[in-house]
Amino acid sequence: MDETHYQAQNLRVVAQSGALYSVLATIGELDVASASIFGVALDQILLRPGTPRVILDVSQLTFCDSVGLGQLIRARKLIESRGGALALAGVRTNLSALLRITALDSRFPRHPSVEAAVVDLTFPLGGDAGSRRDPHMPSSGTA
């Protein structure tokens, strides 16, 4: 995976781009002072050809204000407008509460870790969730 680092006053974003998915890891505070650097990192990911599958690793996100929340909404809308998929990984209590209070919790698929999100996002887009299988598990040989 290619890795690029972005730094703002109180936020570091590590962007990893791979063939099947990209990860944006946020470390610190996503707020009015740092929202633009998050936007730059996201825009760089979206310049890549193909259908975007993006995991936002928020396990080290310590704070998110309304401007930061706006960036998460923007990310979801941009990715979905390109036929892609977005998932949050490692959502901490403070962000979980913010998503619940704003009734956005159902708009962002959440996973306990990046690894769990990878399993979900590496399946073909638009498929039935019930037909998904772990690509690392051997097939049963039956259709």
Side-chain angles (χ1 to χ4, degrees), residues 55 86-91 108-118 120-121:
I55 300 165
L86 170 84
L88 299 179
V91 178
F108 291 92
R110 293 185 274 175
H111 302 276
S113 65
V114 170
E115 293 77 16
V118 166
D120 191 44
L121 289 178

Side-chain angles (χ1 to χ4, degrees), residues 23 26-27 33 41-42 52 62 65 74 82 93 96 99 105 114 116 119:
V23 177
T26 55
I27 302 141
L42 175 67
T62 58
D65 70 3
R74 174 182 172 265
R82 289 169 171 79
T93 305
S96 183
L99 293 171
D105 50 343
V114 170
V119 170

Side-chain angles (χ1 to χ4, degrees), residues 5-139:
H5 294 255
Y6 302 87
Q7 184 76 43
Q9 177 180 342
N10 53 355
L11 178 74
R12 185 165 56 107
V13 179
V14 179
Q16 296 176 316
S17 299
L20 296 178
Y21 62 90
S22 298
V23 177
L24 284 178
T26 55
I27 302 141
E29 300 177 6
L30 180 55
D31 58 15
V32 68
S34 62
S36 62
I37 201 69
F38 177 85
V40 168
L42 175 67
D43 291 344
Q44 289 301 309
I45 291 289
L46 295 177
L47 287 175
R48 295 174 45 88
T51 304
R53 291 177 174 96
V54 179
I55 300 165
L56 297 180
D57 179 357
V58 294
S59 62
Q60 296 182 67
L61 186 66
T62 58
F63 178 78
C64 183
D65 70 3
S66 61
V67 176
L69 185 60
Q71 283 292 336
L72 296 179
I73 294 166
R74 174 182 172 265
R76 185 183 62 81
K77 287 181 178 180
L78 284 171
I79 290 164
E80 289 179 357
S81 74
R82 289 169 171 79
L86 170 84
L88 299 179
V91 178
R92 296 168 66 156
T93 305
N94 56 350
L95 181 58
S96 183
L98 181 61
L99 293 171
R100 188 178 60 256
I101 289 167
T102 56
L104 292 169
D105 50 343
S106 65
R107 301 288 182 138
F108 291 92
R110 293 185 274 175
H111 302 276
S113 65
V114 170
E115 293 77 16
V118 166
V119 170
D120 191 44
L121 289 178
T122 55
F123 293 96
L125 295 172
D128 178 333
S131 67
R132 295 178 176 177
R133 72 170 187 84
D134 186 335
H136 304 291
M137 297 296 292
S139 120

